[in-house]
Amino acid sequence: MQLWDWAEDGQSYGLEVLQLARSGSQWELIRAVSTRHQVITGAQVTAGLTAAGFAAVQRLTPKESGHPLPLWVAVAP
């Protein structure tokens, strides 16, 4: 199970991942892990790759790549 807690400004979110197991007729919490993530734009990803020295940076849409999320492809320096 995942719980997402978005910041009001939309720039970050907390993510809590819970692992549950059925114990008889109830669920038991096995493990919980919490992290905080910063949201970055596609332009920021491209700029970061370019600044790191990658060339021919391309953003592929899910329709182009067959993956459910956008992917970036670049040539290593």
Side-chain angles (χ1 to χ4, degrees):
M1 173 186 299
Q2 295 181 3
L3 304 172
W4 295 60
D5 182 22
W6 283 88
E8 286 192 28
D9 64 5
Q11 298 296 310
S12 65
Y13 61 93
L15 175 63
E16 189 163 359
V17 179
L18 308 174
Q19 182 180 1
L20 303 173
R22 189 175 287 276
S23 177
S25 62
Q26 298 182 353
W27 289 96
E28 182 180 334
L29 178 63
I30 302 298
R31 183 181 333 179
V33 178
S34 298
T35 61
R36 185 123 202 109
H37 300 268
Q38 179 182 347
V39 176
I40 57 175
T41 65
Q44 289 171 312
V45 172
T46 299
L49 289 168
T50 302
F54 288 89
V57 177
Q58 298 178 48
R59 178 184 182 266
L60 302 178
T61 66
K63 190 173 187 175
E64 294 170 314
S65 70
H67 190 275
L69 299 173
L71 296 177
W72 276 259
V73 179
V75 178

